[in-house]
């Protein structure tokens, strides 16, 4: 379903308002799934290596946070793109035509990270039940989640700050 002024002008005005108000939350919001996935992976690795159950439980809670914050990050990102005029219409899954280059890579990596965070969430539930998946499997899913969110963040930074690094004063 695409919302355009021709279809329903009231809904479009409301969407513009929401995109303006909520879309600007995307830059600070995206840091939550990135850092929580990194901390979860580190906690799980140390908990597994040193056989510390509290670290595994900490990693499980951090993977819950990763999953729960990935959806608002996706939503605010889509609204931010709408607010900036990078996309013209709101659709549940952004159309391919306006998503080219870095924006397309950014969105695909963020969606991949969100899917992978669901897999780490599934193991988090198993950790809470005392039946964790094999450690190498969880490490693989955790590392893939970190890499997907990290790469999405790196590309997001390129879109905001450009290719090079700023000169030091």
């Amino acid at each position: 379903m695409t919302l355009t002024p021709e279809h329903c002008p009231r809904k479009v005005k409301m969407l513009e308002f929401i995109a303006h108000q909520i879309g600007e939350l995307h830059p600070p919001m995206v840091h939550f799934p990135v850092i929580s996935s990194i901390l979860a992976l580190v906690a799980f690795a140390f908990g597994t290596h040193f056989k510390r159950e509290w670290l595994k439980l900490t990693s499980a809670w951090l993977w819950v946070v990763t999953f729960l914050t990935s959806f608002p990050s996706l939503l605010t990102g889509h609204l931010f793109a709408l607010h900036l005029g990078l996309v013209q219409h709101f659709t549940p899954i952004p159309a391919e035509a306006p998503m080219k280059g870095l924006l397309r890579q950014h969105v695909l990596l963020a969606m991949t990270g969100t899917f992978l965070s669901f897999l780490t969430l599934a193991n988090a539930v198993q950790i809470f039940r005392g039946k964790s998946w094999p450690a190498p499997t969880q490490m693989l899913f955790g590392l893939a989640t970190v890499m997907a969110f990290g790469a999405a963040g790196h590309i997001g930074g390129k879109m905001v700050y450009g290719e090079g690094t700023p000169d030091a004063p």
Side-chain angles (χ1 to χ4, degrees):
M1 176 176 125
T2 301
L3 294 179
T4 61
E6 301 82 38
H7 291 101
C8 42
R10 285 180 109 193
K11 288 184 180 177
V12 170
K13 287 287 184 195
M14 179 59 83
L15 185 63
E16 287 174 2
F17 174 77
I18 291 171
H20 179 71
Q21 297 300 317
I22 297 176
E24 292 181 356
L25 292 175
H26 181 67
M29 176 61 73
V30 298
H31 292 93
F32 290 101
V34 173
I35 192 63
S36 59
S37 65
I38 293 169
L39 292 174
L41 183 63
V42 170
F44 187 80
F46 278 100
T48 301
H49 181 73
F50 294 112
K51 302 195 183 336
R52 300 286 192 263
E53 202 57 36
W54 69 272
L55 281 171
K56 288 184 182 180
L57 287 172
T58 300
S59 71
W61 280 112
L62 286 165
W63 275 315
V64 170
V65 170
T66 300
F67 178 75
L68 293 177
T69 58
S70 65
F71 284 104
S73 295
L74 282 177
L75 176 64
T76 58
H78 194 81
L79 292 172
F80 196 48
L82 187 66
H83 172 69
L84 294 175
L86 298 173
V87 293
Q88 301 304 315
H89 308 291
F90 182 86
T91 55
I93 297 176
E96 185 176 343
M99 288 187 4
K100 293 183 167 70
L102 291 179
L103 179 61
R104 181 171 175 76
Q105 292 173 13
H106 179 69
V107 170
L108 291 175
L109 285 165
M111 292 175 84
T112 301
T114 299
F115 171 74
L116 290 167
S117 75
F118 175 75
L119 296 175
T120 59
L121 173 72
N123 187 53
V125 170
Q126 293 301 97
I127 290 172
F128 294 138
R129 292 180 177 170
K131 306 176 206 171
S132 180
W133 294 349
T137 302
Q138 184 57 18
M139 290 292 291
L140 179 67
F141 287 141
L143 183 60
T145 304
V146 166
M147 291 176 68
F149 282 139
H154 177 72
I155 290 171
K158 278 185 173 181
M159 290 190 300
V160 172
Y161 300 109
E163 292 290 327
T165 57
D167 294 332

